[in-house]
Each structure stands twice: as C-alpha cells, then as structure tokens.
Amino acid sequence: MPSTRRPDILPLLASVALTIALSAPLAAQRPSKSTKAVPTIQAAAFPDGWPVQMRRPAVIDQHAMVVSNSKLASQAGEEIMKRGGNAVDAAVATGFALAVTYPFAGNIGGGGFMVIRMADGRAAAIDYREVAPLAATRDMYLDANGKLTNKSLVGALAVGVPGAVAGMAQALKEYGTMSLHDVMQPAIRLASQGFAVDSALYRSLNGSKRKLMQFAGSKVFYTNGNAPAPGTILKQPDLARTLTLIANEGPKAFYEGPIADQLVAEMKRDGGIITKQDLAQYKAITRKPIVGTYRGYTLYTMPPSSSGGITMLETLNQLETFPKMPAFGSARYEHLLAETFRRAFVDRNEKLADPAFVKVPVDELTSKAYARKLASTIDPNHATPSPTFNAAAEPMHTTHYSVVDAKGDAVATTTTLNSGYGSGTFVDGAGFFLNDEMDDFAAQPGKPNQFGLVQGDANAIQPGKRMLSAMSPTIVLDRNGKLLMVVGAAGGPTIITAVTEVILNVLDQHMSLADAMYAPRMHEQAWPDVLTYEQNGLSKATMDSLTAMGYVLKPTRGLANVNAILRGPKGWEGVVEPRSTGGAVGY
Ligand code: DON
C-alpha cells in the first residue's frame, strides 16, 4: 500500500500495562434505569504505553462551535454564525471552505451526508451521495479474465456523479437563513487570496505526489515539481472561479452550466463515462433521519444510502440488553463490542444498499426485539467466528465536521472523495478533484473492496444507484431531549465503530469528550475475521484473554478520524481528532 494513502496519524509508540480481568458471564438482561439527564464525568484510565502527547484538550465556548479537519474551514463557519447565520449556514460555509483548504477529502467533486436537528425539533438527513453514471455496468471494473482491476480507484472511470454542490445547496435552502452567495464568500476568499500551507498539507500532498502527478492537479499542487513547502501561500484561481460561478448562479452552474462542460471534457480525456445527462439528472434527497434510543439518550443518524445509522443502532441496541457495560479496555468490554459490531456488520454487508434499488428492512434491523435476538447468540467466553476473507483494509480519506449554533441547532456532516484526493482525476481549468466513490459498490460481489469490506449483490453496480456508505453523522440528545453531542468520522467502515465508541465512552464510560476521543479504539467488521486494535491501546492481559477467547488480533496505527462537540458543564466542548489535524473554533 503506498504511503500516499495513510491518514495523518501520530505514531503510537511505547509499551503496554494495565490489567483488567475477564470475569462475570455476559447475560442479556433489561437495561438499568438511570435518571440523570446527562452523563457524569469520571477520570479515565488507559494502558501505560498509550501516548499522552496525543491527547487534545477541548476548546470550550458558550455560544457556538465548529470542529473540522481544517482550522481555516472551522473559522469560515464561525464567521458565518457571527454574521447571524445558523448552524446550517455555517456547515455549508465550512463544507465549501474544506474543498479549498483540505483538498484531501473536502470537496465539491464528491458527496456526503448531513444530519440536521434544529432547536425547534425539526430534523432532516440530506443524502448527497454520488450515483453510478447511467453508462455504468455491473462488471465494469473486471478485466477480460473476470479479475478485479484498480479502475474503481484511480482515474476517471472511478468517478461517481458528484452530489456535494447539490446537497449543500439543498440543505441551505431548506434549513439555512443565508444565501449560497453569502455563505460561500469565505471559501472564495481562501481560494483566490490563498492561505499558508501548513506542514500537514505539505506532508499529505508530498505523500500523494505519485498518484496526483498523473493528472491536471499537478499544475496547481506541484508547480515546480514539488509539493508547496510549509508557509507557501497556495492560491487556487481556477477553483475560485468555479466557486464564484456556483455562488452567483447556484448549483445549475455545476450540473448544467460551464462547470458541467469542463467536468465532461475531463471525463472524455481520461476514459470516464459521466455525461451531461448524468449531471443534469443528479438530485440530492432529503430523508428522515434514523431515530433511535440508547439507555434513555436519543440518537439522530443517517439512513441508507449510508449503512452508518442502521449498523450503529443495531450495535447499540444489542449493547443495551446488557445492564452494565464492563470496564473500558477489559477483555469483556472488547469482546462485547466485537461481537455486537460483528453481528451488525454481517447485516450491513448483506442487506444494506440504496433503498431506491433494494428493499432495506430498516425497522426490523433497528428494533429492540431484533437486537435481543442477536445479542442472545453472543457466547460470553468465545469469539463467534465469521467466514474468512483475508483482504487487507487500507486507510483512505473522508472528513467529518460538527456544528452547533447559539440557538442549539446542530449539524453533523460527513463528506468524502473516498480515497485521499479521490480518483486523482482533476477537472482541468475548474480546479477540483473528483471522487473514486464507485469503489464503495461491490464491484465483484463477495470480493473485498479497498476497505476489506465484503459485500453482496444488494450493493452491486447499477446505473443511477447510490453506492453504500459507512458515513455516520450523528446527533445525540440527553435524557431530557436536549442537544448533547454532535459527532461523526472519516475512515471507511471504521467510521461506524469509532463513532459508536466515542458515544459509548461519553455515555457509558463517563469520559470527558477529550478522553473519549483520545481513548484507544478497536474495530470489528465481521470480514475479514480479525479484531483490529490501535497499537499499544490494549493491555497485555486483555490481549491474552481475547486471544484465548478465539480472536485474531491485528494492530494498526490509528483508527478513524472523529470530530465532535459535547455540551459540557461549562459550555460547548469541541474536540478535533487527536490522531489528525484540524481546529475547533467557537465563541
Ligand atoms: O462512504 C464511505 O463509507 C467511504 N467512501 C468513506 C471513505 C472514508 O471514510 C475514507 N476515509 N478515511
């Protein structure tokens, strides 16, 4: 795997300690009834070797907060709220700014999901996932011998019809208060006047050089053959022009106007199949969020075409059948998480897909009764094996941002190009990268994709279909129905597990948000049948117990990239992913 795809993660060094014994059988019982509206905060303990220097304190502010993977983009959101905009106005401003300052994942050439919950109780889930082009075929990524090629990953054939511009404009129209023109001004300014490249952007561009030099973006990001050194002012005049067109003329400029022409011309140059008809037909969809409960807290999260909400709720509903969660980091805890995630991922990979093409049993999968049935199959002392598919999961890139305004409106948005810088394809003259989201389909059902995800026919390629996602933007209310948390992540399937774990760390383990984000993570996705954990994040005793229970443990350098906001005792707490870069900005 080329290092170009590695997310920015601090190396996790040093040794492990802390021993928590495996005890007490797991029994499916009714949850205990707690009456506290918000979780109390307690000190958290992690293994000795867990790197202290990684921990990030929360930024705390009274009125409003934006947390994203780029401080400049968070500031764009803050600027809009200070000018009277609400959380949706700010989220759209941040989204467009990320396309300028965080081209790794921020985008107008990709897609995403936005979960909105207004302080007055209205809620929506905007689905602006890419769709397969009309000329797409089920086997388009197989060679003459039926072997899977890498064309779903790199180059113009990998590109799904982008949804970002339509989705952000739709969210703004339905829930915002300002014009597209006004909320896009910070992004336009950043593109036209430029901004100082920081070391994270330099490292990222430098790492992706081999892939990106093949495409037109080389003229923007490697002007003299190299990535811009930290401190260089990076201006993107083509992108500024594109953004200005969208700001002045609306999404039509992108889907039917001059930008559509440029995009289709790029397709033709590089063997892509997106046509003007594909672009003109693209529609973002406003859906009802999936609403569920966990021990009295309420969650608003993303329905299909993302698998995130269902898989998360299925896991939480199973966990809720256990009256008390075991101690964080104990073998019992990891076992419970692994087994509940495993069961939820089996359903995910077999049953979930674009609801316009496949009937998804949402109510059944998210019901408490179904969860009780699933949880009753967990063996308290042994791992339940999944069929083995041994493909390596590879880290890619997406980005999540969370926004809260002074009224308590909340927005959780996750947006992606899929791989870092997407397919690498860059719309010449228009200044932006295009996604490689087609790889999220089961390009060959039964065979793993780049995340090692093994998926079935339900998610096979069909023209006009949305590829199944794992993105899980989520809003949590406290036991009195008041906004408590806004959270989401990047990281392919590890999005689902990491978002669930951060929520559990706060609600069950009583961690502060800073600790909940800093805490070591694990991941289980049924296939391949391995329990992935962050290096030095599990004690030796826990690892020994898990191995004895039948788990195959696989260390990794870092799992997912979460950005979250929590209502704490002193105000809104914003915490940027400690394993990555970004900024929490509030006032
Ligand atoms: O939609 C999905 O599930 C993937 N395209 C997300 C990719 C991703 O999170 C990569 N990021 N680190």
Side-chain angles (χ1 to χ4, degrees):
M1 189 51 220
S3 58
T4 59
R5 295 238 179 115
R6 295 244 150 86
D8 298 309
I9 292 158
L10 293 177
L12 307 175
L13 301 168
S15 62
V16 241
L18 195 78
T19 302
I20 300 164
L22 178 66
S23 63
L26 302 167
Q29 293 167 30
R30 297 230 151 259
S32 63
K33 291 266 180 291
S34 168
T35 48
K36 281 221 174 75
V38 292
T40 45
I41 296 168
Q42 293 165 8
F46 305 122
D48 279 353
W50 192 239
V52 177
Q53 69 276 20
M54 185 176 80
R55 191 177 186 280
R56 279 212 184 152
V59 169
I60 303 179
D61 263 300
Q62 298 308 308
H63 302 289
M65 182 69 65
V66 188
V67 188
S68 81
N69 285 121
S70 154
K71 188 164 186 182
L72 291 167
S74 297
Q75 282 166 344
E78 183 210 24
E79 174 185 328
I80 290 299
M81 287 197 281
K82 280 192 167 158
R83 283 176 38 204
N86 69 9
V88 178
D89 299 318
V92 175
T94 298
F96 278 109
L98 281 166
V100 181
T101 60
Y102 192 65
F104 194 42
N107 67 81
I108 56 172
F113 300 102
M114 189 181 284
V115 172
I116 300 172
R117 190 195 178 261
M118 307 299 282
D120 63 12
R122 284 177 300 146
I126 317 282
D127 176 338
Y128 49 102
R129 184 66 161 169
E130 300 90 327
V131 300
L134 293 168
T137 56
R138 183 183 163 101
D139 296 336
M140 62 191 278
Y141 299 116
L142 306 187
D143 67 15
N145 302 319
K147 256 190 93 197
L148 204 50
T149 63
N150 79 342
K151 292 211 160 118
S152 64
L153 285 170
V154 183
L157 199 60
V159 184
V161 183
V165 173
M168 288 195 280
Q170 187 153 315
L172 192 73
K173 203 158 141 206
E174 293 176 358
Y175 291 90
T177 65
M178 291 171 66
S179 67
L180 192 59
H181 175 271
D182 288 353
V183 300
M184 288 185 70
Q185 292 314 306
I188 293 170
R189 205 172 58 223
L190 286 162
S192 61
Q193 296 176 8
F195 62 94
V197 170
D198 63 10
S199 54
L201 179 56
Y202 165 74
R203 272 200 313 272
S204 156
L205 284 169
N206 195 38
S208 293
K209 186 169 158 186
R210 205 175 343 143
K211 169 167 144 183
L212 301 187
M213 283 300 278
Q214 305 168 56
F215 302 99
S218 56
K219 291 186 280 188
V220 176
F221 296 107
Y222 308 92
T223 36
N224 42 28
N226 290 313
T232 311
I233 299 297
L234 177 65
K235 294 186 183 173
Q236 300 174 72
D238 288 346
L239 181 56
R241 204 166 36 249
T242 294
L243 293 173
T244 305
L245 267 172
I246 298 169
N248 293 341
E249 293 167 27
K252 251 188 161 193
F254 186 94
Y255 291 96
E256 295 173 51
I259 307 164
D261 292 332
Q262 286 168 304
L263 198 157
V264 169
E266 191 61 52
M267 288 288 122
K268 291 201 174 128
R269 272 193 290 275
D270 189 36
I273 55 173
I274 294 177
T275 61
K276 291 260 324 213
Q277 191 191 352
D278 278 307
L279 290 166
Q281 262 178 243
Y282 183 83
K283 286 216 165 13
I285 303 174
T286 302
R287 303 184 191 272
K288 279 204 179 85
I290 288 194
V291 184
T293 59
Y294 179 66
R295 300 186 203 275
Y297 298 94
T298 304
L299 284 92
Y300 286 72
T301 181
M302 199 64 214
S305 57
S306 180
S307 64
I310 292 180
T311 314
M312 215 164 81
L313 268 184
E314 220 180 298
T315 306
L316 291 172
N317 284 339
Q318 291 177 72
L319 290 173
E320 201 187 57
T321 66
F322 298 88
K324 196 168 182 306
M325 290 297 277
F328 182 86
S330 64
R332 287 192 64 228
Y333 186 72
E334 304 300 327
H335 175 54
L336 249 195
L337 289 195
E339 293 306 314
T340 51
F341 281 138
R342 183 203 305 279
R343 282 157 180 75
F345 267 91
V346 167
D347 280 338
R348 177 209 183 273
N349 294 358
E350 286 172 0
K351 298 182 185 151
L352 304 192
D354 183 345
F357 287 75
V358 172
K359 199 167 163 5
V360 181
V362 181
D363 292 342
E364 188 204 333
L365 294 177
T366 56
S367 77
K368 302 279 185 196
Y370 179 65
R372 277 196 292 276
K373 220 163 69 189
L374 278 186
S376 71
T377 66
I378 297 175
D379 177 335
N381 298 314
H382 297 102
T384 313
S386 317
T388 312
F389 283 98
N390 234 343
E394 299 165 357
M396 313 303 142
H397 243 287
T398 295
T399 189
H400 172 84
Y401 53 101
S402 295
V403 185
V404 170
D405 68 21
K407 284 214 295 282
D409 305 324
V411 180
T413 308
T414 316
T415 180
T416 190
L417 289 166
N418 198 21
S419 300
Y421 304 101
S423 63
T425 309
F426 192 83
V427 182
D428 199 11
F432 63 96
F433 288 105
L434 291 167
N435 67 82
D436 61 337
E437 222 71 60
M438 290 296 283
D439 192 67
D440 275 351
F441 279 117
Q444 197 172 24
K447 290 272 161 57
N449 73 355
Q450 67 171 334
F451 300 112
L453 273 175
V454 179
Q455 308 176 96
D457 263 342
N459 191 32
I461 302 174
Q462 288 175 266
K465 186 176 179 184
R466 285 162 147 81
M467 54 296 279
L468 186 64
S469 171
M471 293 189 272
S472 314
T474 299
I475 295 170
V476 184
L477 309 185
D478 72 14
R479 290 187 169 115
N480 291 336
K482 217 170 139 196
L483 180 62
L484 180 67
M485 207 172 165
V486 187
V487 59
T494 70
I495 291 173
I496 298 172
T497 46
V499 172
T500 307
E501 287 168 64
V502 170
I503 291 174
L504 290 172
N505 289 348
V506 171
L507 302 189
D508 284 339
Q509 302 293 332
H510 299 280
M511 292 184 200
S512 67
L513 185 61
D515 280 340
M517 298 277 288
Y518 163 62
R521 296 175 188 154
M522 58 79 76
H523 177 70
E524 165 70 57
Q525 62 179 41
W527 301 291
D529 194 354
V530 291
L531 192 163
T532 309
Y533 68 97
E534 290 182 312
Q535 213 174 330
N536 299 320
L538 291 180
S539 70
K540 178 158 183 331
T542 292
M543 290 196 289
D544 289 348
S545 297
L546 290 170
T547 306
M549 294 167 97
Y551 286 99
V552 175
L553 300 179
K554 185 179 151 216
T556 189
R557 288 177 78 216
L559 286 170
N561 186 332
V562 183
N563 286 314
I565 300 175
L566 179 77
R567 199 183 85 237
K570 295 191 193 128
W572 296 112
E573 299 182 3
V575 181
V576 174
E577 173 56 63
R579 294 153 186 80
S580 184
T581 54
V585 178
Y587 66 94

